[in-house]
Every structure is written in C-alpha cells, then in structure tokens.
Amino acid sequence: MNRREFAISLATEVSKLNYVNGTCCGQTSNTCFDVVDPATMTCIGQAPDSGEETVNAAVQSASKAFDTWAATPPLERSRILLAAVAAFEARVDDIAILISLETGRPFKTETRPEVVNAVKIMRYFAGMPLEAKGESFLYAPNVIALTVREPLGVVGAIIPWNVPAMLFCLKVTPALATGNTVVVKPAEQSPLSTMLLAKILGDHLPAGVLNVVNGMGETGQYVAQHPLISKLTFTGSVSVGKHIYRIAAERLVPVTLELGGKSPLIIFPDVPIEKAVQHTITGMRFSRQGQSCTSTTRIFVHDSIRTSFLDRLQFAVAAMKMGDPLDTDTEIGTLINREQVQRVCRFVEDARNAGVVVQTIGNQPTDSYFSNGCFLPAVLLLDPPMESPVVQQEIFGPVATIHSWNSFEQVESAANGTEFGLSACILTNSISDALTLARRLKAGFIQINSGMVIQPGISFGGYKSSGLGREASLSSMLEAFTQVKTIIVDHNRE
Ligand code: NAP
Ligand code: MG
C-alpha cells in the first residue's frame, strides 16, 4: 500500500461517522456530504450532515455523563486523560496523513508538526486537573471565605479546518481536565481526521464525556443553540464568531472566540537579510498557502534593506517544493478548496486593477496527477494603500503585502491600522525598539525575533476583532472552563 492508499484507507475507516455516547455512529449516504481531497479534487470519503436530532443525542449524552465526570477525583481524571494522550501519540502519523489528505497541508512541514504539538498541548492539560484550585482567606476573626472552581457543564466546541487536531486539543483537553463534558462540531472540510482522533481518545474515556457531531454550519448552530450547552468555545472567522456571540448572548452562556488576523511582521534595518527571509517564510505560513490566523500577511520592511530582502525572499520561496501533500519531501501544499482559490485570485486581480504591483513567485507541482488541485503560487503585493481590501481584510491565501518604512511612529501606526489584533512579529536586536513597539502594538500575541506557533503554557488570543478570551495556558483554562463558587464559613463557637 502506498501513502495515498493508506491515507484513503484511514478515511474510509472513519467515513460517515459521528462519535456519540462512546460509540461510532454510522449514517447512511443520503444524510452525508462528500469530503474532497483538494490536491486531486477527488472524493475521499463522506461525513454525516448531522441534524438537530443527532446534535440533541450528542448533547444529551454529554449532559448525562457530566455529573460523574465532574465528580471523578482530579488525579483519576488526569490518569484517564494521560492514557488517552498515550494512545493519541502512538497514532500521530496516521492523524497527520489524514489531515494532509483532507486539507492539502503537507505532511512534513505542516500536519506532522501540528499533530506533535497537539499531543504536547493535550499532555500539558492532562496534567492539570489538580490545578483547578480556588482561594481561601481569613475574612474576619471567625470567618473563613473560600472559593472553589467548578466545571460549567456541557461545552460546545466549534472548530475550523486549518489546524484541526491542534484546535481540537486546545479546546477539548482543558474542558475535560476541569470536569466538563464536550460536544465538538468539526469543520466540514476536516471531519475525518477529527473523527479518527475522537475514536482514538474515546476508547479511553467514559461514554458521553467526548462527542463529535459532523456537519455544516447549521450543525454548529444547533450545538450553539442547544439549551443544555453551558459554554461555547469557537475558532473561525470573524463573521461566524459574531454570530456565535449573539447566540451566546441570547442564552447568556460564556463564550471564547478565537477569530481572524492580519498580522504584521516588522523588520528593522539591523536584521540580517537571511534571518528576515526565514521569518517571513515561516510567519507567512507559505507551506500552508498562508491559511493561518496568525499569518504575518503584512510585511513592513525597512527602506534601507528592502531591495535585497525582496530579491532573497523571492529566491527562497521559489525554491520550496510544491506538490503532493502526502509526500515526505513536499514543502508547500494546496488551498482548502476551489472557492478559496477563486476568492484569493479575486483579491489579487482587484489589487492589480487598482494599480498595485503584483509579483508572482512561480511555484507549481510538477506531477500532472495534481493538475486539478487547489495549488496557487505565492504572491507579493508591493505597497498597496493602507485602506485597500488586501491590507484590511483576511485573505487566507499565499498573499503578502509589502510595505516600506523609515520611521518608528509610521510603522507603529501602520501596523495597528486594521480591525484585527491577533499577533505580530518584530525583528530587531535593539531591545528598546523591540519592547517599545511590542508594548504599543494592539495585538494579543507578540513575538520578538521568534516564530513560534501556539505552545502549551503560553496564553494565546486576540485583541480587537481577533477574539475574546485566551487559550493554551493554565490561567486561560481556569478562566474559560470553570466558574467560581464562594463559600463563607463563620466558625464562631457561640
Ligand atoms: P468558519 O467558516 O468561520 O468556520 C468555523 C467553524 O464554524 C466550522 O466548523 C464551521 O462549519 C462552523 N460554522 C459555520 N457557520 C456556522 C454557524 N452559523 N453556526 C455555528 N457554526 C458555524 O472558519 P473556517 O473557514 O473554517 O476557518 C478559517 C477562519 O478561522 C479564518 O478566519 C481564521 O483566521 C480563523 N482561525 C482562527 C484561529 C485563532 O486561533 N484565532 C485559528 C485558526 C483559524 P463549516 O465548516 O461547515 O462551515
Ligand atoms: Mg466555513
């Protein structure tokens, strides 16, 4: 069996399934939709388009499992979650290859690192149940006040397709660690890998604690609206995020939103060109065709190094191998689907028609087997006006805008000049410039000379339209998945 056949066999194993009440529930073809491999545009499996009844069954099962799971001693919850992580770790390659097949992201540069990181995130939270502590203090001579942290109930987690395993773990594990039960709605583009992951973890969890209902946006809406859902956690676009927030407001349930971005990369003149180029390539996520919420899509390069930087950048991106996402030497994969290819091309054409200089970095797969695939070459847009759509809107494609700067105040104001505030990257050896700028940028996740992705223990989340709440750390787990109960004790003996 070659790698493609193996990936398709995994897809077939989890085709047409939801995970409800500890079992894989099969659906018939007429209630399923096709899952398409964007590298070949062939159908690789099907996923249920779950309706209200299925969502209700999943939420009911999570609700039934809640009391027992919440009352399970923290160390026992930790033991169970650690056993689930071990099973997950043993299948890292399988999950990564299935995500590559579903989403077109390359195995080597993208999905394997993602899944390895997802395991780390899960293991970090699996060790956390005992940390859901409250506070106590002596309020008056005979009065002790204490707080305990309790789980919220059934958590509804709605996730996108672009890093499905990592985002699954970022939501599911802290929720479970603190004693909640969960219903996950995966993205319609990555239902199979999420299903495989749920099946692997579910074998180690009590029935009903983790449920997955596949489907389209409407399925997510049923989850969000269900009266037994006590918390919503969503990652995705700003428009759907606002919709979820409105539903949550109506029902008065807490919500965490991780939304889009339009992040700046700010390159100072003291940075070696090669370092600037490497940070641009990783920051832009060219290997993922730019489809990351934290992609540094606006590159602010100091005037004095602009020409040599652009020359080297083009050369380095052109050298990256585009092709079969499953191959272990492919560095750049596909966009998620045809609609997204067309949407990205429209942004570029509109910019060209408005007079912006467009530089295309001619990268294409060599194998004709992929001639129908959703591949696009990388695009640099030189100096588009700050108010133009390509600078203001999230394109979610391999398109970076290039801007020159020569004054600190100018770059600070330009970098802050969008509705987004997810992340930013600053490259300079001047600690005072770097920290001053970092303090002034209105974004939630700022890296100085660093290009890390979300890591366990480090809070992640956005300012402005990029979201509400934080993920990935102990403090964010407590904030997002527990509620505080105060107990006051008067122990006066009279
Ligand atoms: P999306 O269209 O907003 O979808 C996200 C999830 O919401 C999917 O499961 C989707 O289902 C579901 N959904 C759609 N309409 C819904 C509705 N009316 N009610 C409830 N759920 C609904 O986002 P996407 O295109 O999958 O992902 C790309 C976006 O995610 C980008 O904007 C990116 O920046 C953002 N993102 C943010 C972060 C972060 O941490 N800040 C990380 C990764 C991605 P369907 O799949 O069926 O539409
Ligand atoms: Mg969508």
Side-chain angles (χ1 to χ4, degrees), residues 65-112:
F66 173 69
D67 284 346
T68 308
W69 182 244
T72 302
L75 273 180
E76 175 60 6
R77 248 188 270 138
S78 180
R79 189 194 63 76
I80 292 170
L81 289 170
L82 286 168
V85 187
F88 176 19
E89 190 164 37
R91 301 285 303 273
V92 161
D93 283 359
D94 293 357
I95 293 176
I97 202 168
L98 190 49
I99 301 175
S100 289
L101 182 68
E102 280 184 315
T103 66
R105 290 168 53 230
F107 178 84
K108 178 180 88 167
T109 52
E110 280 286 330
T111 60
R112 195 169 193 288

Side-chain angles (χ1 to χ4, degrees), residues 159 161-162 185 188 216-217 220-221 235-237 259-260 293 394:
I159 53 178
W161 56 269
N162 66 333
K185 205 303 269 180
E188 68 194 72
M216 309 277 181
Q221 184 138 330
T235 297
S237 59
L259 308 177
C293 54
E394 187 179 45

